[in-house]
Amino acid sequence: MTTVTTPQREQTRPGGNLVDMSWDPVTRIVGSLGIHTKIDFDNHLVQECYSTSSIFRGYSVFLKGKDPRDAHFITSRICGICGDNHATCSVYAQNMAYGIKTPPLGEWIINLGEAAEYMFDHDIFQDNMVCVDFCEQMVKATNPGVLAKAEKTPAPHADIHGYKTIADIMRAFNPFKGKFYLETLAISRLAREMFCLMEGRHVHPSTLYAGGVGTVPSPQLFSDYLVRLMKYVEFIKRGLPLHEDLFEFWYDALPGYEEVGRRRIQLGCWGAFNDPESVDYRYETMADWGRSMGVTPGVVVDGKLVTTSLVDINVGLRILLGSSFYKDWQDGEVFVEKDPLGNAIDKRHPWNQTTTPQPQKRDFSDRYSWVMSPRWFDQRTGENLALDTGGGPLARLWATALAGFVNHDYIKATGQSVQIYLPKTAQMDEVTFEWKIPKWSNTIERDRARTFFQAYSAASALHFIEQAQKLQRAGETKTWQEFTVPDEAIGCGFHESVRGVLSHHLVIRDGKIANYHPYPPTCWNASPRDSNGTPGPYEDAVQGSPIFEENGPDAFKGVDILRTVRSFDPCLPCGVHMYNGGGKILEVQHNPMTGVPRKP
Amino acid sequence: MIQADTTAAKRAADIPEVHILWITAGLSCDGDSVSATAATLPSIEDVVMGNIPGLPKVHLHNPVLSFETGDELMKYWHQADEGTLGPFVLVVEGSIPNEKIKEEGYWAAMGTDPQTGQPITTCQWIDRLAPKALAVVAAGTCATYGGIHAMQGNPTGCMGLADYLGWDWKSKAGLPIVNVPGCPIQPDNFMETLLYLLYQLAGQAPMIPLDKELRPTWLFSMRTVHEGCDRAGYYEQGVFTHEYGRPECLVKIGCWGPVVDCNVTKRGWMDGVGGCPNVGGICIACTMPGFPDKFMPFMDEPMGANVSSTGVMLYGRFIKWMRQHTIRKMNQEPKWRHPGRKLTTGYQPRTYSHAAERSSK
């Protein structure tokens, strides 16, 4: 569906009974989110959806006036699962502002840390949070018919992962009891140990600085990491076919499920894994060094790659209000009129933003969230696009595949797909996985991409460690570059947090932070309706989405809605409560194939 | 040090089942919940699945891990409020905002009030649940002392749990607030504290020993970061690095280790792996009540360190020179290890000559 028009929906029975339903808090995510909906049980679809966040902390407010060198220590604390992504992004922005670059080995160490973060975070989120929505305990409560079918369906890759039927896979995801659930929790710790080797501790790293890392490179550092990495590689060789079996079964068992959580394809990826050979952190050359990243930045609209330039991406950023608890800054200070290349910078760009909180009552017809509404201005059409990240991996793989730039021993982007090579491990032969561009940007494809990206991260780490060992063996062991903080400077950092696009925008005056605005992925994904009335991605993906759950309003769990929201990998303190509001509830006969709307 | 107040131990001798209500809706990043999933000593699943003998049966209600969503999760909170849930421990994560400084709205909330349609603030939950909990635990530096979100210039006026409830506050079972600081918590430090409390509630352990900042003494009061640091020997010899990425002592480039109560250097981050200064990260004092403001800017040498490190350099460099001399000597093998026809180890005879033996007969 587009962002500018209300989708046309088939109404098999106009004026079907609408029931208010909310989930507060939404669990098995990070942060505070509430999802409030109106559901048409006659036609099995969600009519309206509002996404609200119930926490305000004020980073942009209290960063003002602080020493810029502290920015990454502070902004790491924005997020408790991907704090290191923030710290890394802040270091990128600081490097630009101070006019420095990280020595090559320092850059590889950061990449190894970030790869470990992706391996850990996608692992714990996918298998201990997302897949709980597909576990036996859940499916028994929401779609007993699907479970019965799963009991009789052999898993195509049983010889690889060891679970005979699809129902066995579902049982393996039962929380705290399922075999795969527990295995994945243990693997998430292994990946976090890898992270700690490179960055000191997990969630808020201690070895990252502007100019590089404090990690001491030694042969032991890399062998300690590599041995653990090979265990992870073995794990994902089994895990990927297991998830493929589960997701493919879902499409078969519930025809029409591709419509769940489907949006118009409008994906953003800001790129990850800087290449020390080409990155110099200068804004003037940012478009070039951005294209040499290990994950290609890009904006994909309707399946086409609109740009791979980080400069275009930066210049197009707009922060719209509309439904958030903030004062507008239209009359506020302008910090950056033109970027270093001479491009005009909009008043609504993060560089020029002033954050002034205005706490007030929650009103779904007016203002209802602490999340702002970031949008990307598409110069071709004049639209302010509510880009989503596809939960991170979907946008990353899509942009990387289409661009076709990434090409090393372990990853090859082909223009239509991404090939991922994993070498022999203890119990398994080498294998090449291929992620192909899917037909839809929907719930299942967001989830499927996540598992592929775990493999992508492991394969990338194999490449990084080879490069790092080469430098270490050649005696090029410098990991940090000295610098002084200038009196006046601007900087921006672009990176991929685990769940998608992340940018930090920094303005320094008199050697202190004059303005600092971080834009994490969940701001994009969880944003409320903006000043043009365009809903944010969660809202848009849930609105008009069909309901396949077999329960009526009385026992309704909203599992299809929650699967959709969780497929974006939400990362904010959030809640979902559920209440039956106005509207008479009628008896509903469940038939998922009745009145399922086809979106344009 | 807080003495065990036996008269205040009004709980039953043992509790067969206990609920853990974990509020992540302070001003938090959920990093303490995530960190807890990294623990292995014990792990979260060890505690929840009854893999450790002597513990009550534990029902964990944490939004990050919960099977239930929305009302199905919130019902435990409401039951705890109504007194129908059974014995519970309240864990609070995140800074406690000051909701009184504004006219309307909320800084932090969890769930929705069915009467008003407005979010229920985190402070309301704490007011309702803290008096009914057997024990209240503050997880992470935000909840213990305010942390990052409480730094100078913050708009929410937030604070730590003891600032909010009062430093002398006691639970109905007579326990003070238990603070486990860390940004985030060191995974095993937190789980081990929880384990101790569960043993205590089961009647198997005495009152948890806490220091005056309400931290478990065996984790936070036995040593500083510096005392457990594997770089401390460099300090002692006056060897300091002035750039990051070197193995020597980090005090000159911002490490606060010598004056910070924390065991991370001894314990590592995960089962011995990691641990800030050991790996090359300066200690920014994230377990301390004065964090972050008293330690910023983080990358500058602490004022006190300048004085003490200057002193230590005079003595330390001499000691190091002496040791180098000793090391050189100790790196040489004794001189009797050599090839050749003669044994010079001091053993007699020096050669094994059969000819000599035969001639003596």
Side-chain angles (χ1 to χ4, degrees):
Chain A
M1 77 178 64
T2 67
T3 56
V4 284
T5 55
T6 313
Q8 295 301 304
R9 291 206 197 85
E10 260 181 69
Q11 285 284 357
T12 48
R13 272 189 291 170
N17 85 80
L18 283 187
V19 183
D20 280 342
M21 293 223 156
S22 319
W23 292 263
D24 192 348
V26 172
T27 54
R28 279 183 280 120
I29 61 164
V30 173
S32 293
L33 174 75
I35 295 291
H36 296 245
T37 64
K38 290 189 187 327
I39 296 179
D40 175 351
F41 278 96
D42 288 352
N43 297 306
H44 311 290
L45 70 98
V46 185
Q47 278 284 10
E48 280 180 38
C49 173
Y50 298 85
S51 154
T52 168
S53 162
S54 54
I55 301 277
F56 173 76
R57 297 168 306 177
Y59 276 82
S60 296
V61 179
F62 56 71
L63 276 159
K64 265 191 201 300
K66 302 293 192 295
D67 190 314
R69 295 172 302 158
D70 288 344
H72 60 283
F73 292 104
I74 296 170
T75 54
S76 179
R77 272 73 188 176
I78 289 172
C79 177
I81 193 160
C82 55
D84 61 284
N85 299 144
H86 280 278
T88 301
C89 193
S90 177
V91 160
Y92 293 169
Q94 287 180 65
N95 287 352
M96 184 182 286
Y98 311 155
I100 50 169
K101 59 177 283 190
T102 304
L105 187 54
E107 204 68 77
W108 293 124
I109 287 173
I110 291 176
N111 287 348
L112 285 165
E114 292 304 85
E117 170 65 32
Y118 295 135
M119 283 184 253
F120 141 73
D121 193 333
H122 286 322
D123 170 76
I124 199 171
F125 185 74
Q126 181 84 323
D127 297 336
N128 301 127
M129 299 180 197
V130 165
C131 282
V132 170
D133 285 335
F134 296 87
C135 79
E136 180 211 29
Q137 192 184 339
M138 183 67 77
V139 179
K140 193 186 275 177
T142 58
N143 296 77
V146 172
L147 183 60
K149 187 171 179 174
E151 294 285 6
K152 297 196 290 277
T153 309
H157 295 103
D159 57 329
I160 298 176
H161 54 64
Y163 296 99
K164 217 180 286 182
T165 67
I166 301 294
D168 289 337
I169 294 177
M170 291 178 182
R171 270 185 284 279
F173 282 117
N174 282 341
F176 287 105
K177 296 191 180 79
K179 198 169 148 207
F180 198 75
Y181 180 100
L182 291 170
E183 182 184 0
T184 202
L185 202 50
I187 285 284
S188 86
R189 292 175 188 137
L190 181 81
R192 280 181 275 190
E193 286 177 10
M194 288 155 64
F195 183 88
C196 290
L197 287 166
M198 295 297 158
E199 303 197 20
R201 63 172 169 175
H202 186 262
V203 182
H204 303 313
S206 44
T207 63
L208 277 180
Y209 308 97
V213 295
T215 317
V216 184
S218 68
Q220 182 191 325
L221 174 72
F222 298 117
S223 53
D224 281 2
Y225 185 101
L226 183 56
V227 169
R228 288 175 171 87
L229 175 60
M230 294 319 288
K231 289 180 183 160
Y232 190 94
V233 169
E234 170 120 345
F235 163 80
I236 201 65
K237 280 183 191 171
R238 280 186 296 112
L240 195 140
L242 180 149
H243 288 85
E244 282 293 273
D245 286 354
L246 180 68
F247 297 138
E248 284 303 316
F249 167 80
W250 225 261
Y251 281 137
D252 291 345
L254 294 168
Y257 213 85
E258 67 274 7
E259 293 298 331
V260 171
R262 185 174 161 201
R263 292 190 84 203
R264 176 187 174 190
I265 298 162
Q266 40 182 339
L267 297 161
C269 166
W270 296 170
F273 303 138
N274 276 323
D275 175 15
E277 304 273 307
S278 49
V279 63
D280 61 8
Y281 291 103
R282 289 171 63 240
Y283 189 91
E284 292 82 351
T285 52
M286 184 165 72
D288 293 333
W289 54 257
R291 290 188 185 103
S292 66
M293 285 173 154
V295 170
T296 312
V299 175
V300 179
V301 179
D302 299 329
K304 300 268 185 306
L305 198 56
V306 177
T307 181
T308 53
S309 157
L310 282 177
V311 173
D312 289 353
I313 286 169
N314 181 50
V315 171
L317 297 177
R318 301 283 183 276
I319 309 305
L320 305 185
L321 293 172
S323 309
S324 342
F325 304 135
Y326 298 92
K327 192 163 170 264
D328 194 21
W329 62 88
Q330 219 39 35
D331 309 326
E333 189 173 358
V334 174
F335 293 90
V336 183
E337 282 186 17
K338 284 197 162 55
D339 72 5
L341 288 165
N343 299 305
I345 296 297
D346 196 86
K347 190 72 211 269
R348 308 219 65 86
H349 189 280
W351 264 332
N352 291 325
Q353 183 179 345
T354 301
T355 296
T356 312
Q358 281 191 323
Q360 55 198 276
K361 283 201 168 62
R362 187 172 67 190
D363 177 354
F364 288 110
S365 62
D366 181 17
R367 296 185 180 203
Y368 57 91
S369 183
W370 277 117
V371 178
M372 296 191 186
S373 302
R375 299 292 182 256
W376 191 71
F377 180 71
D378 188 345
Q379 288 189 308
R380 305 166 310 156
T381 60
E383 284 178 285
N384 280 306
L385 295 173
L387 296 181
D388 73 78
T389 72
L394 188 66
R396 287 200 278 275
L397 291 167
W398 212 310
T400 301
L402 284 175
F405 298 150
V406 180
N407 187 359
H408 52 73
D409 287 351
Y410 298 94
I411 307 270
K412 189 171 173 23
T414 67
Q416 311 82 43
S417 70
V418 175
Q419 292 165 351
I420 303 163
Y421 168 75
L422 297 173
K424 179 194 168 302
T425 47
Q427 309 269 330
M428 298 174 84
D429 290 339
E430 61 177 15
V431 62
T432 299
F433 291 123
E434 185 167 26
W435 178 87
K436 298 187 181 75
I437 292 176
K439 284 182 271 190
W440 313 286
S441 170
N442 67 7
T443 298
I444 294 283
E445 295 307 328
R446 284 177 211 114
D447 289 343
R448 183 204 304 266
R450 190 172 300 112
T451 300
F452 273 91
F453 200 79
Q454 288 173 249
Y456 189 108
S457 305
S460 299
L462 285 162
H463 172 65
F464 302 151
I465 207 158
E466 280 177 14
Q467 305 307 311
Q469 284 176 319
K470 264 185 215 160
L471 290 173
Q472 202 275 322
R473 289 163 186 160
E476 294 179 42
T477 55
K478 200 170 155 53
T479 58
W480 179 76
Q481 159 78 55
E482 207 165 355
F483 61 87
T484 49
V485 177
D487 284 345
E488 312 273 314
I490 59 170
C492 57
F494 287 89
H495 186 33
E496 280 287 303
S497 152
V498 174
R499 54 269 318 144
V501 300
L502 174 61
S503 57
H504 280 217
H505 305 268
L506 158 72
V507 179
I508 299 173
R509 287 186 187 166
D510 305 322
K512 296 274 184 269
I513 294 173
N515 204 9
Y516 198 112
H517 277 91
Y519 268 93
T522 299
C523 271
W524 290 83
N525 292 333
S527 61
R529 283 156 176 74
D530 63 26
S531 40
N532 301 323
T534 307
Y538 295 173
E539 299 180 331
D540 178 43
V542 170
Q543 288 189 158
S545 187
I547 301 284
F548 284 84
E549 183 178 339
E550 295 170 31
N551 297 316
D554 295 339
F556 190 62
K557 284 196 179 301
V559 69
D560 302 302
I561 293 166
L562 293 168
R563 278 184 194 129
T564 295
V565 172
R566 288 190 181 111
S567 72
F568 288 98
D569 197 343
C571 188
L572 31 62
C574 76
V576 182
H577 66 235
M578 186 162 166
Y579 64 92
N580 290 352
K584 200 169 77 177
I585 299 164
L586 307 175
E587 282 296 304
V588 180
Q589 292 276 306
H590 181 71
N591 176 352
M593 291 319 294
T594 307
V596 172
R598 291 284 158 196
K599 298 185 191 179
Chain B
M1 163 81 81
I2 286 174
Q3 293 302 317
D5 179 359
T6 46
T7 58
K10 300 189 197 75
R11 46 158 190 75
D14 61 5
I15 292 167
E17 295 199 16
V18 66
H19 292 261
I20 296 174
L21 290 183
W22 189 318
I23 295 181
T24 52
L27 304 184
S28 87
C29 67
D30 285 15
D32 304 303
S33 287
V34 172
S35 215
T37 67
T40 50
L41 308 167
S43 72
I44 235 169
E45 62 268 32
D46 281 341
V47 170
V48 170
M49 300 312 289
N51 303 347
I52 296 176
L55 294 189
K57 184 167 172 46
V58 173
H59 304 278
L60 174 69
H61 310 290
N62 171 306
V64 177
L65 294 166
S66 160
F67 175 78
E68 302 97 337
T69 290
D71 278 7
E72 290 184 358
L73 173 75
M74 291 314 294
K75 79 166 184 273
Y76 301 111
W77 267 254
H78 289 289
Q79 285 170 352
D81 182 24
E82 293 153 9
T84 56
L85 182 69
F88 69 93
V89 173
L90 180 66
V91 177
V92 179
E93 180 175 353
S95 329
I96 316 303
N98 187 341
E99 299 282 2
K100 294 178 185 152
I101 55 179
K102 55 186 180 16
E103 286 174 16
E104 58 174 13
Y106 54 92
W107 297 123
M110 182 184 187
T112 297
D113 185 327
Q115 261 67 54
T116 62
Q118 290 300 308
I120 303 171
T121 65
T122 305
C123 289
Q124 282 175 292
W125 282 120
I126 293 169
D127 295 347
R128 291 177 191 182
L129 300 183
K132 296 160 186 147
L134 287 177
V136 174
V137 185
T141 301
C142 286
T144 55
Y145 312 121
I148 285 277
H149 309 122
M151 75 167 69
Q152 176 269 329
N154 81 77
T156 60
C158 62
M159 63 202 89
L161 192 61
D163 301 323
Y164 182 79
L165 289 175
W167 281 82
D168 299 331
W169 186 90
K170 297 273 193 303
S171 77
K172 67 176 191 182
L175 276 84
I177 294 168
V178 177
N179 280 340
V180 187
C183 188
I185 47 171
Q186 200 279 0
D188 295 326
N189 278 355
F190 180 79
M191 288 306 292
E192 197 178 280
T193 303
L194 200 58
L195 186 68
Y196 188 103
L197 284 171
L198 291 168
Y199 278 134
Q200 188 183 334
L201 295 177
Q204 299 193 37
M207 176 61 78
I208 185 166
L210 304 174
D211 65 13
K212 67 182 194 328
E213 288 76 30
L214 304 176
R215 302 173 290 206
T217 51
W218 77 94
L219 299 171
F220 292 94
S221 311
M222 300 300 186
R223 62 175 66 91
T224 60
V225 167
H226 183 61
E227 285 158 349
C229 184
D230 65 11
R231 297 174 177 229
Y234 287 106
Y235 181 99
E236 181 214 18
Q237 297 178 155
V239 183
F240 302 100
T241 176
H242 293 270
E243 55 179 78
Y244 302 94
R246 308 264 323 141
E248 300 90 4
C249 177
L250 302 164
V251 153
K252 290 273 174 207
I253 50 176
C255 185
W256 282 85
V259 292
V260 171
D261 296 320
C262 175
N263 63 350
V264 73
T265 39
K266 272 286 188 209
R267 192 159 208 174
W269 196 256
M270 293 178 68
D271 208 359
V273 177
C276 314
N278 298 356
V279 183
I282 50 173
C283 168
I284 59 172
C286 75
T287 56
M288 301 294 275
F291 178 77
D293 305 75
K294 290 185 179 175
F295 307 96
M296 288 160 69
F298 296 123
M299 287 165 76
D300 287 347
E301 182 183 17
M303 196 97 80
N306 197 353
V307 178
S308 58
S309 61
T310 306
V312 90
M313 268 192 241
L314 295 169
Y315 147 90
R317 300 237 165 134
F318 173 68
I319 295 285
K320 183 171 186 238
W321 178 80
M322 299 276 285
R323 285 177 180 166
Q324 293 291 18
H325 177 69
T326 307
I327 290 170
R328 264 196 305 279
K329 292 188 69 125
M330 298 301 144
N331 269 328
Q332 294 160 356
E333 291 180 42
K335 56 184 183 298
W336 57 77
R337 299 175 192 165
H338 55 76
R341 296 188 56 86
K342 207 168 257 175
L343 180 68
T344 58
T345 63
Y347 180 76
Q348 294 294 348
R350 292 180 165 222
T351 55
Y352 298 94
S353 161
H354 296 297
E357 272 180 51
R358 276 194 293 269
S359 64
S360 67
K361 281 177 181 172

